[in-house]
Structures are given as structure tokens and as C-alpha cells.
Amino acid sequence: MITVDGNDASGTPGPSGDTPDPLVALTGVSKSYGNVRALRDVSLEVHAGEITCVLGDNGAGKSTLIKIIAGLHPHDAGGYTIEGEQVRHSSPRQALDRGIATVYQDLAVVPLMPVWRNFFLGSEPTRGRGPLRRLDVAQMRATTHQALLRMGIDLRDVDQAIGTLSGGERQCVAIARAVHFGAKVLVLDEPTAALGVKQSGMVLKYVAAARDAGLGVVLITHNPHHAYLVGDRFVLLKRGAMSGSHLKEDITLDGLTREMAGGSELDELTHELSRSRKTGTMDGDAATSDAAPATPAPAAPEPTPHADPADPETTA
Amino acid sequence: MSALDVIGTGDERLAPRSVARRLLGRPELGAVVGAAAVFLFFSVVADSFLRASSMGTVLYASSTIGIMAVPVALLMIGGEFDLSAGVMVTSSALVSSMFSFQMTANTWVGVGVSLLVTLALGAFNGIMLVRTKLPSFIITLGTFLMLTGLNLGLTKLISGTVATKSISDMQGFPTCRDLFASHWTVGSVDLQVTILWWLGLVVVATWVLLRTRAGNWIFAAGGNADAARAVGVPVARTKVGLYMAVAFCAWISGQHLLFSFDVVQSGEGVGNEFLYIIAAVIGGCLMTGGYGSAIGSAVGAFIFGMASKGIVYAQWNPDWFQFFLGAMLLLATLLNAWVRKRAEASK
């Protein structure tokens, strides 16, 4: 919590103002699998201390985009630069070495392992040499506790199996891990899908904390409400192509929601629905709730339950 | 309880978990309870069971299964099976014996060649698994059948009978026997060297599992291979390594088999793979991987040893042993499941 407050001041006013190069920039990126054109001509920018949201319905190409950024698949056409340098990844390890950490929705953790073992999995610190080379258990435990604390997660026991944590907490541990291991760009794949309102708020808060720590964040979601709470830039995908790209100051939540649901199609749908229900309620309301089909509780203006002054939206 | 609530309430924490609670969280607990029950049972029904000399026999029986149960448990924690482990022991003994005999070489040469061949068998299992991505059940079942056939076929082809020729008069035999099949007497108890091999392996495996990077990777490979791969764990290498560990222990067991009897029956070992798996499961290993311990497998093997010899000491018909083993497996697994549920709820 203290960290969120402290970094807020330095985080908001256009960080690292002297370097114009974005951390990650995609320009006109395309990807085909055989004759299926999964992604066509998509561009986006990720800056340090900012959150770029990628919005789209199912099948819009969000997962293809994430796979390209994370290095699981190379792109076919277009440019992919990291801090101004052209790259083409052929494995997730390469992307990881360049500071791009991806947190997948399901792949984040090994449920039966304790939190501290999960935290250091794949990058375990050791001490001693030869046959006595062993895990530095004390340091691993302490570091896990501190790193989580810095993100505002205060675990009672880092020895508990991570599967006993809630879905939101697990996402947060995965985010804290990426931050601790020096990621420059954090790619989050639907971190709030399948979470309740309260838990979503918690995850968004840690996403904002990562941003305030100076990371560039790519937030993939199909929930415009969550995106608008924390996002600085919005890229909308539709059927594999980019259907819009906005800065936060250029668009309202309603505008974003409408555009995501596909402006004219939505008008048509609203029209149809109001005809079937003669006593059509407020048009605006119907539009909003229809536009976010996968949101269980569509109007969630304040999902962070224990709201404190340093909430994400105040920085916008 | 979400993390937010904990933050909200400041420093308020749960009281430290009691020792009993901590014990409940250990994978071996079910096996230890089971071992105590079996021990008490045979202490009551078999008069001679509690004699020191009987304990030597029980420990020997436990160690022959235990030596293999350790790597099989690690492999199971890593999420895989090895059905070829039983016959691989026989293969290892056959290679050692026949190489020494046919080449009239020092038995140490045969032991060395056997090590290489057995490790290659393990590597074959592992590499087939990670390359083809077929279930380990199928791959090692294939290896199991092929090795069974090879053991019989090659032995008949080379020796003319189903057993190997005696190598007890060959050079190097006494020293090999010292290493793999010696025994010494402490008081009235006759202790086999396999007990030392067994305990040594348990210590090494526990160290690897709990205190090294490789151990972390074994848990992760079995617990969630995709997540492990995503954070840079060499899952394929870990699994191949585990199969080679099984092969290494099969080599130790095989050499013991050879040097304690000096001839090897080529049809031996079939069915033993299940005893290893049973010991690992009784010891708390999860069939689906990601959970278990090497110490648990040792306790499982000890239960096996007590049951197999206890039935003899109780002067029952040994035919009942299989039934006893099956019932114990079911009970232990149920107990483990119950304990684990309790343990997870207590956290």
C-alpha cells in the first residue's frame, strides 16, 4: 500500500519522458496458421508506466496477439520492436530474457507446491558448490514474503500450497513474481476472467501497482469496464483485425463499450430487443449490459472493495 | 479470506500451526500410521516377529523393494510411471553376468557394461516419452514386454538354458560380492548390505527432492508441466533424468541379485514393478504426480517387508500375502486421501 502511494507521484506524469521509444511496439503485425488469417495488420504500443489494454470478443485474435508478444509464435509480417530494436522471437525464453513476462490465466502456477517454491520456480537461487549446491531456502522464503508484501499481498504462510489460495491471489503471486524477476513488460492474459467482482478488483489493483513500479503492461481482456479502470491505451480487435485504437483521454467508457460490441450492430440489436419488449426500458442501459456479454455484473464502477486514496482510477 | 482482508486487519494473524497440524501436512503420515498398525498386528499374531533376528530378515525384504521404490516414487512425483522397472533389474543382472562369462572378463567389467546398458534403457524410456508425448504407461509397457522377451530369448540363445552360468569362480567376484551382496552380523542380527544402499538412496533422494533445483523441477514437472515449461523449467530433461535414476537403481538391484546367488534366472522380475509402485503409493505419492516423498516410499517398502515376512512368522499360508497386499494398498490410499483432505483444509 505504501508503495502504491509513494510511486504514484513519480508514476503519473509521463514517465521516462526523454526516451520516445516505446518498450514494445507492434506495427502492422499479421499472423496466419495455414490458410487461416488469425491476425491482420495490428499495431500497438506499450510504454513504461502505462497500461495498454487489448479488447476483443472470443475469436478476435487476442490469444494470437499474446502468443506473438510472448514469443510462443513468430509473426509473419509487420514489425515487432522492443525499445526500438527489431526482434523476432522463436521461444518464450527469448522474450523472457528481453524482459517480457507473460502471466497466463491457467498456466501461472503449480497448485500443490508451496508459494515460495512456485515463486522461484525455474530461477531458484542456490548456495554451496558441487554436490552440496542446494536451494537457499531461508532466502527464498524471506524474499517471497517481501516481494509479495511490496505488491501489497501479506501472506500468512509462504509454505502453504499455492492451490489453497484464491484465483485472484494466485494471479497476484504470478504478477509479483514477474515484477521481482525484473520484467520490463508484463503481459496479462485475461487476468480477471472467471473471477468475482471483489477478486477482479484485487487483481486490477496489483496490475496498477506493477504499472506504478514502472513496468509497461499489456492487459488482454474482454471486459471494457475493467479495461477502462486501469488502461491508458485501448486497442480493439475484431475478427483478427484492429477495429480501433484510442488513448484514454479520447474515449469514454460508454464509447469503448459500444465500440467493442460493434457500434452499428449494437444499435440494430438494441432496436430488435426494444421491439420485442414493447415497454423498452432505458436504451442506454440495455446497450451497456448487452455490450459486455461475458460480464456477470456489468455495472461495476467500483470493483475495489477496500477503496483507498491510491486507487488505480485516480491516476488516470 | 482474501489478501485484502488480511491487509485490512493489519497484523492480525492466525496462531502458529500446532505440531500435529504440521505432521498432518506431511505426505508420509498415512504410511507411518499404516506401518505402526501392521507392526502392532504382527507383534500380536506372530510370536517370533519381535525377535531381533526377524527384524534383520524383515529389513532385508524391505530393502530389496525399497531400493527400487525410491526412484519409482520420484518418477511418480514427476508425473510418470515405469512398468519396465521390474524386468529391468533382471536385464541388468543378465547383462552383467553374461558379459563377464562370455568375454571371460573381470566381473567388474561386466558390472560396468551393465551400468551403461541399463542407463541406456532408462534413457530410451525417457526420450521416447518426451519425443512421442505418448503416455508413459504405454511406452514402459512396451519396454516391459520387449525386455521380458529379450531376457528369455537372449539368455537361451547365449547360455542354452533359461539361467546364466555361474560366475562365482571368476576374477573380481569376491569384491563385487562385498559391494552388492555382503552381510554382517551385529549381535544376533544378520544385516544385508542392501539395507545400507536403501537408506543411502532414501537420504540422497530426499536431499535432491527438497533441497535442490532438480527437486523443485521434479515437483513442478508432475504438478503442472505446462506452467513449469512456461517459467523455463527443463521438463523434458527432468523426466529423462528420472527414468535414468530408475535405471541406475535397477542396476544396483540387478547386481545384488547376481552376486547374492551367482546365477540369474532370466524369467525373474516380472510383476515386481507393481510392488515398487505400491510401496510409493502407500508412502503417499499421488498417482497424478506433483506430491509425495522418498521417505514415504521407504515406509511403504517397510510395510511390504513386514507383511511378507510377518505372514511367514505367523505360520499362515503365504498364498494370503497377495490378498493382504491388495487390501493394504486400498486402505493406505484411502487413508492418504483422507489425510490430504484434512491437511489441505487445515491450511
Side-chain angles (χ1 to χ4, degrees), chain A residues 109 117 124 135 152 154 169, chain B residues 3 7 13 210-211 216 224 227:
Chain A
V109 296
R117 284 187 184 267
E124 299 90 348
L135 296 181
D154 193 2
E169 285 172 321
Chain B
I7 298 163
R13 303 295 178 86
L210 297 181
R211 285 294 175 266
N216 225 24
N224 187 346

Side-chain angles (χ1 to χ4, degrees), chain A residues 1 93 107 109-110 112-113 117 121-122 124 126 131 134-135 137 152-154 156-157 169 177 198 306, chain B residues 1-3 5-7 13-14 17 207 210-213 216-217 220 223-224 226-227 231-233 286 344:
Chain A
M1 215 132 308
R93 193 77 237 180
L107 298 187
V109 296
V110 183
L112 283 169
M113 285 171 82
R117 284 187 184 267
L121 187 57
E124 299 90 348
T126 55
R134 60 202 183 272
L135 296 181
V137 175
I153 309 167
D154 193 2
R156 286 187 296 277
D157 180 11
E169 285 172 321
R177 174 169 70 187
K198 192 174 166 180
H306 296 261
Chain B
M1 256 283 149
S2 76
D5 291 343
V6 176
I7 298 163
R13 303 295 178 86
L14 294 182
R17 282 187 298 155
W207 165 265
L210 297 181
R211 285 294 175 266
T212 68
R213 307 186 69 186
N216 225 24
W217 296 346
N224 187 346
D226 290 332
V231 293
V233 172
L286 212 54
E344 270 161 20

Side-chain angles (χ1 to χ4, degrees), chain B residues 72-245:
Chain B
V72 166
L74 295 199
L75 185 67
M76 201 176 276
I77 295 169
E80 306 295 344
F81 288 108
D82 190 350
L83 296 180
S84 65
V87 285
M88 201 184 280
V89 171
T90 314
S91 302
S92 182
L94 288 171
V95 169
S96 179
S97 162
M98 286 197 288
F99 188 89
S100 300
F101 188 83
Q102 298 299 325
M103 301 290 157
T104 47
N106 190 303
T107 51
W108 282 104
V109 179
V111 168
V113 169
S114 169
L115 176 63
L116 294 181
V117 171
T118 319
L119 284 179
L121 290 175
F124 172 81
N125 273 339
I127 291 168
M128 282 292 282
L129 179 90
V130 297
R131 282 285 158 81
T132 63
K133 298 193 168 60
L134 288 171
S136 59
F137 188 90
I138 298 297
I139 287 173
T140 58
L141 186 61
T143 322
F144 160 73
L145 291 170
M146 289 194 294
L147 283 181
T148 313
L150 277 176
N151 285 354
L152 287 167
L154 281 182
T155 310
K156 263 191 194 161
L157 207 65
I158 294 170
S159 318
T161 60
V162 290
T164 59
K165 301 281 196 292
S166 168
I167 58 162
S168 57
D169 53 353
M170 297 191 64
Q171 249 191 354
F173 187 85
T175 43
C176 283
R177 174 170 235 165
D178 282 346
L179 183 61
F180 292 109
S182 59
H183 55 101
W184 68 103
T185 312
V186 182
S188 61
V189 190
D190 188 42
L191 293 173
Q192 292 276 344
V193 72
T194 46
I195 299 170
L196 284 187
W197 279 104
W198 176 38
L199 297 180
L201 283 169
V202 171
V203 169
V204 170
T206 305
W207 165 265
V208 167
L209 210 48
L210 297 181
R211 285 294 175 266
T212 68
R213 307 186 69 186
N216 225 24
W217 296 346
I218 292 170
F219 277 113
N224 187 346
D226 290 332
R229 214 173 282 120
V231 293
V233 172
V235 174
R237 212 148 39 91
T238 306
K239 290 196 171 173
V240 174
L242 284 172
Y243 275 103
M244 291 180 72

Side-chain angles (χ1 to χ4, degrees), chain A residues 44-271:
Chain A
L44 66 80
E45 281 186 8
V46 185
H47 292 266
E50 282 190 16
I51 298 178
T52 302
C53 295
V54 178
L55 291 135
D57 212 339
N58 297 337
K62 298 194 300 279
S63 30
T64 308
L65 187 66
I66 212 171
K67 280 174 185 157
I68 290 172
I69 298 177
L72 277 166
H73 298 314
H75 52 288
D76 293 339
Y80 178 1
T81 61
I82 294 178
E83 291 177 294
E85 183 199 345
Q86 276 288 346
V87 294
R88 194 182 162 79
H89 297 139
S90 52
S91 86
R93 193 77 237 180
Q94 289 179 356
L96 213 55
D97 290 343
R98 289 199 170 97
I100 297 184
T102 310
V103 176
Y104 297 96
Q105 195 191 328
D106 308 319
L107 298 187
V109 296
V110 183
L112 283 169
M113 285 171 82
V115 174
W116 63 272
R117 284 187 184 267
N118 262 291
F119 193 88
F120 282 99
L121 187 57
S123 320
E124 299 90 348
T126 55
R127 49 199 283 238
R129 45 182 65 243
L132 283 179
R133 190 158 170 244
R134 60 202 183 272
L135 296 181
D136 196 346
V137 175
Q139 193 216 322
M140 286 168 82
R141 283 209 176 94
T143 311
T144 305
H145 193 77
Q146 282 161 16
L148 292 181
L149 206 60
R150 210 172 306 130
M151 293 288 293
I153 309 167
D154 193 2
L155 275 190
R156 286 187 296 277
D157 180 11
V158 290
D159 262 318
Q160 63 186 309
I162 205 165
T164 60
L165 299 184
S166 71
E169 285 172 321
R170 258 176 283 170
Q171 287 282 339
C172 294
V173 172
I175 294 172
R177 174 169 70 187
V179 173
H180 177 79
F181 284 108
K184 284 183 277 187
V185 178
L186 191 58
V187 185
L188 301 167
D189 182 17
E190 304 259 10
T192 59
L195 293 184
V197 173
K198 192 174 166 180
Q199 295 229 338
S200 300
M202 183 169 93
V203 171
L204 289 178
K205 206 167 142 168
Y206 298 131
V207 172
R211 170 199 62 194
D212 294 338
L215 276 78
V217 180
V218 182
L219 179 68
I220 313 262
T221 179
H222 55 225
N223 189 323
H225 299 275
H226 290 164
Y228 199 78
L229 272 177
V230 293
D232 298 293
R233 292 158 191 273
F234 305 97
V235 173
L236 290 113
L237 293 182
K238 199 174 174 186
R239 297 168 69 84
M242 205 162 69
S243 64
S245 177
H246 307 278
L247 290 173
K248 178 145 191 180
E249 48 268 32
D250 300 340
I251 192 162
T252 61
L253 175 57
D254 272 352
L256 190 66
T257 314
R258 284 178 68 81
E259 200 170 317
M260 195 188 149
S264 56
E265 284 171 40
L266 189 68
D267 287 339
E268 213 170 284
L269 186 66
T270 315
H271 185 60

Side-chain angles (χ1 to χ4, degrees), chain B residues 16 25 55 73 90 106 123 133 160 177 187 190 193 211 217 222 253 255 257 266 277 279-280 303 308 320 322 326 329:
Chain B
M55 270 302 121
T90 314
N106 190 303
K133 298 193 168 60
R177 174 170 235 165
D190 188 42
V193 72
R211 285 294 175 266
W217 296 346
S253 287
Q255 303 318 301
L257 195 66
S266 58
I277 292 175
I303 292 180
S308 63
W320 287 95
Q322 299 281 348
L329 176 68

Side-chain angles (χ1 to χ4, degrees), chain B residues 6-32:
Chain B
V6 176
I7 298 163
T9 50
D11 247 350
E12 195 184 338
R13 303 295 178 86
L14 294 182
R17 282 187 298 155
S18 66
V19 179
R21 282 279 186 226
R22 273 168 199 276
L23 277 179
L24 266 180
R26 303 288 319 160
E28 307 89 355
L29 180 84
V32 172

Side-chain angles (χ1 to χ4, degrees), chain B residues 327-344:
Chain B
M328 193 126 62
L329 176 68
L330 279 183
L331 274 176
T333 318
L334 283 174
L335 185 65
N336 280 340
W338 178 76
V339 164
R340 197 159 35 243
K341 211 176 272 175
R342 285 285 307 268
E344 270 161 20

